[in-house]
Amino acid sequence: MGGGKLPRSFYDRPTLDVAQDLLGKVLVHDRRGIRTAGIIVEVEAYTGESDPACHAAPGPTRRNEPLYGPPGHAYVYLNYGIHCLVNVVAEPAGSPAAVLIRALDPLEGIPVMRRRRARAMKGRRRPPDPSALPQSELCRGPGNLTMAMGITLAENRLDLLGSRLFVEDRGIDVGEAVWGPRVGIKVGTERPWRAYLPNHPAVSEPR
């Protein structure tokens, strides 16, 4: 892949290939002129109506509509009424699939990330002292990631080829990925569809 923003063709591929190749890419969010960015270090693939953990398992609904749409769009949803989680839609339109971004290694806007993590939010425990959080913990876990990046339901369905939320290839070499079971789900746990960078401190589950 060349440098710059990832093209549509990057996402228009099998989900597991997209998931693996997202590691080392940079997620960027511009919220009202405030820019945050981080290196993707952990992802999970969810693909098809036959995947019981995928939101497409019950078939098309209003909520999961973005999964069935064109690749290279954001699918953001509210988890347990508390956390917004951000996914990138993969595969051709009509084939419901997405990759959940689970963790980032912060690169840009780190003071803003700390301020956002310090905010009290319904149903979320505030870190005792967000200013003392190690940098690697700011975007560790998919709910912390969106909070630090300022990603909300307003970003659902955004085209990732736009200027607000996108993924860049900055030529960062992160080495070989490790695959293992997805976490935080009750079904489909036997599928080794979580890819992450081994021993990276921002990865959200024990290696």
Side-chain angles (χ1 to χ4, degrees):
M1 286 293 157
K5 199 173 295 180
L6 297 183
R8 186 87 58 207
S9 57
F10 176 93
Y11 305 100
D12 192 7
R13 299 183 296 145
T15 315
L16 295 177
D17 292 346
V18 175
Q20 176 165 296
D21 292 345
L22 277 169
L23 295 175
K25 303 299 189 290
V26 177
L27 181 67
V28 182
H29 186 216
D30 189 318
R31 184 175 177 86
R32 303 188 187 104
I34 298 172
R35 184 177 167 113
T36 49
I39 303 166
I40 299 170
V41 297
E42 182 185 11
V43 296
E44 283 177 343
Y46 292 87
T47 180
E49 294 176 357
S50 62
D51 177 359
C54 181
H55 283 185
T61 66
R62 182 174 177 81
R63 182 198 195 197
N64 69 26
E65 193 177 15
L67 291 177
Y68 290 84
H73 285 72
Y75 173 46
V76 184
Y77 63 86
L78 199 59
N79 197 38
Y80 300 122
I82 301 170
H83 311 276
C84 284
L85 305 190
V86 62
N87 304 255
V88 301
V89 176
E91 307 209 9
S95 298
V99 179
L100 170 68
I101 311 298
R102 283 198 59 90
L104 303 175
D105 186 356
L107 270 184
E108 298 174 29
I110 291 164
V112 176
M113 291 181 178
R114 289 193 182 281
R115 286 200 300 274
R116 287 172 175 161
R117 286 291 311 276
R119 290 176 189 154
M121 292 183 69
K122 184 183 112 178
R124 287 187 62 119
R125 281 184 305 179
R126 182 175 178 236
D129 181 7
S131 65
L133 273 178
Q135 186 170 309
S136 61
E137 289 190 25
L138 290 173
C139 299
R140 187 171 182 258
N144 290 334
L145 178 165
T146 54
M147 190 175 189
M149 294 279 286
I151 297 170
T152 68
L153 292 176
E155 279 67 58
N156 188 33
R157 302 172 185 261
L158 273 187
D159 189 342
L160 297 174
L161 273 67
S163 58
R164 194 159 128 203
L165 180 67
F166 52 92
V167 184
E168 287 183 337
D169 182 353
R170 298 189 185 178
I172 299 167
D173 183 8
V174 292
E176 288 294 310
V178 171
W179 290 86
R182 297 175 295 187
V183 295
I185 54 176
K186 295 185 173 67
V187 293
T189 53
E190 74 287 350
R191 303 184 189 207
W193 287 356
R194 179 171 71 106
Y196 56 93
L197 302 185
N199 304 314
H200 195 289
V203 169
S204 60
E205 287 291 322
R207 270 70 68 189

